Structure formats: structure tokens, C-alpha cells
């Protein structure tokens, strides 16, 4: 393998740690306001993290600032490792989560925007820690790497290789020819959506603290809540749930389309094939689930987590069905009701939704809708080719021919994704989980979803898993968040060979 520019890699990890440390300190005002003892632990966590970052930054001055693809992959994966190691410090130093394994799980679940938790009593946690927990979602949502791309030009380093490895989805759509400007525009949209949702939730009746936490968790499609019952805590306030539904939908759509919509180019949004599938798919599946509840099951049995009296009529049934569908498709993971209690048919639909994912270029996890579209089109083309073997018929997406290499890449991704799901489920079963729970925990962790089925259903936590199972789920969350190849390529022998 060619010589790796280690000084450049360590310098980047230093920047990542410094930024993470400053984000930690944003939790201090919340601890001070609520007069909590956790403030010292958060302060020390930031000091340790920033100090580590400064050491990595100042003791590694690269002579060569050219970033190669291999270094890009290493920086992204090691960057997330750095985030995890430093990000768990507030939990450990405040004593909120004393177990290292539990802290690792909660931290990776935050940064990967999965939303699975080992906490059984969230409301007893210090407010500063709850804010930090939501902040890990917000940082991970767009990827702190993309944020750092906007700073790299100051160091004379180009960042395209990083964006290709980090940006969610099978391709990195560019809003602007310069990658740094792209990163800045993405973050402006991201911050703007967060502030807008915060204000709307506050007006709708949430406290300012709950509003800011849920805004960060929604826009990042994360799913950490400040309440034990998640968003079911507000089942008496439908407006709050409709606001969250809207922003989950926006967060699960391609951010490039959101940019075009904000610029008034609505036609581009409507013309997007993926967006049409995304929008119509949600409507259709919500309708099927709503009908199955209203006509084939007593809607009153579709109880919410802590407000069973609010259900029993069409509006509430459709609202809970829509909320749950969007929450799973966008891999946000907020909960207003336990969908595993609705019926075996509905549970099977939700389990299938675990493998859809949101749009490419969104903050959601999973396979992504665009991949499903390309795979389905390619499958139908195989029928045509069987009848006309000499015909050259390309897969067309958004009216353009898709390169065969991209089609192969998407098929390879899906095969690898399903292979990891099968092997991962078997491993979790070996670690003591029952069959249904092993399938659910693996699908949820790999797809960054949060709630699952079995003993990790929407009303359960991951606290009962063994230490080895928690660490394995953490690994699945990480490779799922970084689109498999980014992490797994580091385990391949040819990555380390000389070219």
C-alpha cells in the first residue's frame, strides 16, 4: 500500500475532537439552569476532548495536504470512532451511565441517529445529559465530517473524498460546484429546519427544553426523546404530533430537493422519481394500515403508550398509523403507539419497512428508496432482455440512463446488506436473543431505526441485552450509518496492499 498521510489523518481527527468538545459545552447552560451536579462532569468531558483534539492537531503538521481516497475512508471511520470515545465521556463522568459498554451503545446510537436506548427511566436523567444525548443525534445527522469540510479549505485541504464517503445515500448530489459551499448550504438548511421546528413545537405547547431536544432529534431522524413514553407523552396534543410528522417527512427527503423547494423550484421536487415513490408509498402504506385497523380490528385496541383514551376514531387511528409509518421509513424511531400490538399483518408490514429507508441525500438510514427503484427497474429489464437478448436497454432513473457500474454497485450493496442482516441475526440469537428479537434488533441496528419487534419493541429498551450483544448492535449501527462499504472496506486485504 502506498504511504498513508498519517499526520493529515490525525490532524483531521483533532479537528473532529475539538468540535465535539465545544458541542459538549453547549450542554453546560442547561445543567446550570436546572441547577444540576452534572455540570462538572460535562465541563471536564469537554476539557479532555478539546485537549485531545489540540494535541492531535498541533503535533501533526502535514507537509502534503492532498487527500487520497484511502485516507478519506480511514478519516471517516476513525472520525466516528473518535466521536464515540469522546462522546461517551459526559455519560461516564457524570455517572449517568456508569457502564462503559452501555455508554458506548448510547453514544453510537446517538451519533448514528438510530435512537435505540439502554435507558429505562429517561426522565430521571440530568437535563444537561439529555441535551447532550439529543446533540449527538444532531451532530451525527448530517455528519460532523460534512461540517468539517467547510473548515478544511482554511487548512488548504480539499474535501471531496470525504464527502463521497460520508454523505448519506448512493451518490453525493452537489448543490454547488465547490464542495465546501455544498457543505455550508446543507448545514444552513439543517440549522434552519431545526430552529423552525423548535419554534413551532414551543408554540404548540411543548416546554422550550422538550422542543429543542425533539427538534434536534427529528431533523437528524434520530429518535431520542426526553420522555419515557417518547412522543406518546403528547398524545393529548395532536398538533405537536402533526408538526413532528411533517418535519420527519422533510428530514427523510433528499436535502438537495429541500434546497430546490426553498429556492422556489418546486417543479424539480415533483419531477424527482424517488420523491414520488417516497410520498406515495407513505400514503399508500398508511392507508392500508389504517383500513386494517378501522375495519378488521377494534381501533380502541390500538392503544397508545400512556393515553389509551385518545384512540377509537378515524382521525387518531390515521394519525398514529401515519406517525408510525413515517417514523420507521425515515428511520427516526419516535413512538406514539406500539405497532407490534396492532396485528400480525401490520407488524409484518412494519418489519418490511425496516428495509426501505428514506431518500438518498437525507439524514435517514436504511437501504434508501433510490436503491430499491433501480433494483426493481433492473429486474424488470431482465424480463425484456430474456425476450430480446440482443437489445441494449439501460436502466433509466429520472429520465436518464444509469451507468451499469452504478447498478452493479447498488445490487452489491443490497446483497451485502441482506447478508449482514442474516449473519447478524444468527449472531444475536447465539448471544441469547429469541428468534423474533434477534431479527428485530439486527434490522433496527443495521437500518438505524430504533424501535423493533420482539423484546426490543417500541415500548422496550435494549437494556436487557448482554454486553456482547450491545457491542455487536453498536457495530451494526456504525456500519449501517456509514453505508457498509466505508467501514467494511477497511477489513479487506486489498485495502492495505500497495497499488
Amino acid at each position: 500500500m502506498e504511504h498513508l498521510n498519517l499526520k493529515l489523518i490525525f490532524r483531521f481527527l483533532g479537528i473532529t475532537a475539538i468540535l465535539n468538545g465545544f458541542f459538549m459545552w453547549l450542554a453546560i447552560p442547561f445543567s446550570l439552569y436546572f441547577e444540576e451536579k452534572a455540570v462538572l462532569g460535562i465541563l471536564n468531558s469537554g476539557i479532555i476532548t478539546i485537549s485531545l483534539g489540540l494535541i492531535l492537531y498541533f503535533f501533526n503538521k502535514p507537509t502534503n495536504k492532498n487527500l487520497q481516497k484511502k485516507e478519506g475512508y480511514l478519516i471517516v471511520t476513525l472520525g466516528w470512532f473518535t466521536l464515540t470515545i469522546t462522546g461517551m465521556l459526559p455519560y461516564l463522568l457524570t455517572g449517568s451511565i456508569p457502564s462503559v459498554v452501555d455508554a458506548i451503545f448510547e453514544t453510537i446510537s446517538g451519533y448514528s441517529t438510530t435512537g435505540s436506548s439502554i435507558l429505562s427511566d429517561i426522565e430521571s436523567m440530568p437535563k444537561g445529559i439529555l441535551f447532550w444525548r439529543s446533540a449527538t443525534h444532531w451532530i451525527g445527522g448530517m455528519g460532523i465530517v460534512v461540517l468539517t469540510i467547510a473548515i478544511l479549505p482554511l487548512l488548504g485541504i480539499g474535501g471531496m473524498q470525504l464527502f463521497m464517503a460520508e454523505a448519506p445515500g448512493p451518490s453525493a448530489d452537489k448543490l454547488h460546484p465547490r464542495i465546501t459551499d455544498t457543505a455550508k448550504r446543507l448545514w444552513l438548511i439543517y440549522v434552519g429546519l431545526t430552529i423552525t421546528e423548535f419554534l413551532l413545537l414551543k408554540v404548540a405547547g411543548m416546554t422550550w427544553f422538550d422542543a429543542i431536544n425533539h427538534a434536534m432529534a427529528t431533523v437528524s431522524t434520530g429518535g431520542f426523546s426526553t420522555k419515557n413514553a417518547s412522543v406518546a407523552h403528547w398524545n393529548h396534543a395532536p398538533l405537536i404530533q402533526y408538526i413532528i410528522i411533517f418535519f420527519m417527512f422533510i428530514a427523510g427527503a433528499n436535502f438537495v430537493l429541500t434546497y430546490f423547494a426553498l429556492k422556489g423550484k418546486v417543479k424539480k421536487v415533483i419531477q424527482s422519481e424517488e420523491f414520488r415513490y417516497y410520498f406515495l408509498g407513505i400514503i399508500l402504506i398508511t392507508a392500508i394500515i389504517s383500513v386494517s385497523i378501522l375495519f378488521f380490528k377494534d381501533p380502541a385496541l390500538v392503544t397508545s403508550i400512556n393515553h389509551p383514551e385518545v384512540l377509537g376514531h378515524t382521525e387518531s387511528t390515521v394519525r398514529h398509523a401515519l406517525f408510525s409509518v413515517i417514523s420507521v421509513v425515515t428511520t427516526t424511531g419516535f413512538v406514539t403507539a406500539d405497532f407490534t400490538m396492532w396485528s400480525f399483518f401490520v407488524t409484518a408490514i412494519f418489519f418490511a419497512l425496516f428495509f426501505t429507508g428514506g431518500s438518498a441525500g437525507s439524514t435517514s438510514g436504511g437501504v434508501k428508496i433510490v436503491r430499491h427503484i433501480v433494483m426493481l427497474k433492473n429486474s424488470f429489464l431482465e424480463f425484456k432482455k430474456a425476450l430480446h437478448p440482443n437489445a441494449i436497454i439501460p436502466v433509466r432513473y429520472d429520465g436518464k440512463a444509469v451507468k451499469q457500474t452504478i447498478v452493479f454497485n447498488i445490487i452489491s450493496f443490497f446483497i451485502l446488506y441482506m447478508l449482514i442482516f442474516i449473519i447478524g441475526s444468527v449472531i444475536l440469537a447465539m448471544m441469547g436473543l429469541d428468534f423474533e428479537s434477534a431479527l428485530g434488533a439486527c434490522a433496527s441496528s443495521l437500518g438505524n431505526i430504533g424501535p423493533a419487534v420482539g423484546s426490543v419493541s417500541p415500548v422496550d429498551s435494549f437494556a436487557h441485552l448482554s454486553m456482547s450483544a450491545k457491542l455487536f448492535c453498536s457495530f451494526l449501527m456504525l456500519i449501517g450509518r456509514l453505508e457498509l462499504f466505508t467501514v467494511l472496506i477497511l477489513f479487506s486485504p486489498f485495502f492495505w496492499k500497495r497499488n
Side-chain angles (χ1 to χ4, degrees):
M1 192 188 87
E2 71 270 18
H3 175 66
L4 278 173
N5 194 340
L6 292 176
K7 287 192 173 182
L8 184 61
I9 293 170
F10 286 132
R11 186 164 245 222
F12 183 87
L13 298 181
I15 297 168
T16 306
I18 291 166
L19 289 171
N20 207 32
F22 279 115
F23 271 114
M24 283 176 199
W25 282 348
L26 292 179
I28 291 175
F30 294 91
S31 274
L32 290 172
Y33 180 82
F34 291 103
E35 298 178 352
E36 296 170 340
K37 293 177 182 177
V39 65
L40 194 60
I42 297 168
L43 177 67
N44 289 335
S45 300
I47 291 170
I48 293 167
T49 305
I50 291 169
S51 300
L52 174 68
L54 290 171
I55 290 167
L56 286 170
Y57 182 79
F58 285 111
F59 285 89
N60 291 285
K61 292 187 178 178
T63 50
N64 177 17
K65 294 182 179 179
N66 291 325
L67 193 65
Q68 303 302 318
K69 225 172 189 180
K70 284 186 177 181
E71 286 150 359
Y73 284 115
L74 266 174
I75 284 172
V76 171
T77 305
L78 292 176
W80 282 76
F81 181 76
T82 305
L83 287 177
T84 303
I85 296 302
T86 56
M88 67 180 182
L89 290 177
Y91 297 129
L92 295 172
L93 296 186
T94 59
S96 304
I97 303 177
S99 162
V100 172
V101 171
D102 284 351
I104 288 172
F105 183 94
E106 200 77 10
T107 306
I108 290 186
S109 180
Y111 285 123
S112 64
T113 71
T114 302
S116 303
S117 181
I118 49 82
L119 298 175
S120 49
D121 186 6
I122 296 163
E123 291 171 39
S124 67
M125 298 286 283
K127 294 290 195 294
I129 290 298
L130 287 181
F131 176 83
W132 170 243
R133 191 167 164 261
S134 301
T136 58
H137 269 344
W138 201 75
I139 296 164
M142 184 59 67
I144 199 167
V145 180
V146 177
L147 169 65
T148 314
I149 286 168
I151 297 167
L152 281 178
L154 302 174
L155 313 174
I157 302 170
M160 188 60 201
Q161 291 91 336
L162 288 183
F163 188 72
M164 293 303 291
E166 164 63 17
S171 64
D173 289 305
K174 288 191 284 185
L175 313 180
H176 193 274
R178 290 191 55 168
I179 194 66
T180 50
D181 292 323
T182 297
K184 286 171 188 172
R185 280 166 170 76
L186 289 172
W187 270 95
L188 278 172
I189 294 168
Y190 196 62
V191 173
L193 288 173
T194 307
I195 293 170
T196 306
E197 187 186 356
F198 161 69
L199 294 172
L200 289 172
L201 289 174
K202 180 71 181 74
V203 170
M206 268 193 185
T207 65
W208 64 269
F209 181 76
D210 289 331
I212 194 167
N213 280 275
H214 284 82
M216 288 194 293
T218 307
V219 175
S220 65
T221 63
F224 278 155
S225 177
T226 53
K227 303 295 180 185
N228 292 332
S230 188
V231 183
H233 183 85
W234 291 277
N235 277 346
H236 60 282
L239 179 59
I240 285 174
Q241 296 183 347
Y242 281 121
I243 290 167
I244 293 174
I245 284 171
F246 174 76
F247 280 93
M248 281 195 295
F249 178 80
I250 296 297
N254 192 326
F255 266 55
V256 176
L257 293 181
T258 307
Y259 174 79
F260 286 137
L262 291 171
K263 295 281 282 184
K265 299 176 181 176
V266 182
K267 194 177 178 183
K268 283 204 172 192
V269 179
I270 298 166
Q271 286 174 341
S272 168
E273 210 170 328
E274 184 181 38
F275 183 81
R276 291 201 301 270
Y277 275 91
Y278 173 62
F279 177 74
L280 295 173
I282 287 171
I283 299 298
L284 178 63
I285 294 162
T286 301
I288 292 169
I289 291 171
S290 300
V291 167
S292 72
I293 293 168
L294 290 167
F295 294 99
F296 300 101
K297 189 176 177 70
D298 181 2
L301 296 176
V302 187
T303 54
S304 61
I305 291 170
N306 63 348
H307 288 279
E309 74 281 357
V310 300
L311 284 167
H313 56 85
T314 305
E315 184 276 329
S316 59
T317 302
V318 172
R319 170 164 42 90
H320 284 276
L322 178 63
F323 190 102
S324 299
V325 168
I326 289 184
S327 182
V328 170
V329 168
T330 62
T331 73
T332 304
F334 277 141
V335 175
T336 60
D338 184 358
F339 56 74
T340 62
M341 300 298 291
W342 293 354
S343 73
F344 290 123
F345 169 66
V346 170
T347 304
I349 291 176
F350 276 106
F351 187 73
L353 291 179
F354 286 177
F355 299 92
T356 56
S359 306
S362 71
T363 56
S364 59
V367 176
K368 303 288 193 304
I369 292 164
V370 64
R371 288 193 177 101
H372 288 291
I373 295 170
V374 172
M375 283 190 296
L376 281 170
K377 287 191 171 189
N378 187 64
S379 299
F380 285 123
L381 276 183
E382 291 302 319
F383 294 134
K384 283 187 180 180
K385 288 174 184 176
L387 294 171
H388 308 285
N390 295 323
I392 300 170
I393 317 166
V395 175
R396 302 192 78 82
Y397 173 74
D398 274 349
K400 297 171 186 173
V402 180
K403 290 179 183 177
Q404 201 66 32
T405 51
I406 294 175
V407 175
F408 290 151
N409 179 277
I410 287 171
I411 293 170
S412 301
F413 176 91
F414 188 73
I415 292 169
L416 185 61
Y417 192 95
M418 295 310 294
L419 191 63
I420 292 170
F421 165 67
I422 293 165
I423 296 170
S425 299
V426 171
I427 290 171
L428 285 172
M430 285 168 57
M431 291 175 172
L433 273 74
D434 62 86
F435 178 67
E436 187 182 0
S437 303
L439 291 175
C442 188
S444 172
S445 299
L446 190 59
N448 307 133
I449 295 156
V453 294
S455 64
V456 286
S457 74
V459 292
D460 297 302
S461 75
F462 281 64
H464 64 281
L465 268 63
S466 65
M467 286 173 63
S468 55
K470 286 172 185 171
L471 287 173
F472 184 67
C473 284
S474 300
F475 175 69
L476 290 175
M477 286 186 241
L478 180 64
I479 62 172
R481 176 62 182 86
L482 295 179
E483 304 266 316
L484 307 187
F485 293 122
T486 309
V487 178
L488 295 181
I489 197 171
L490 303 184
F491 293 92
S492 60
F494 49 81
F495 181 86
W496 302 101
K497 286 179 182 174
R498 287 184 181 275
N499 288 345

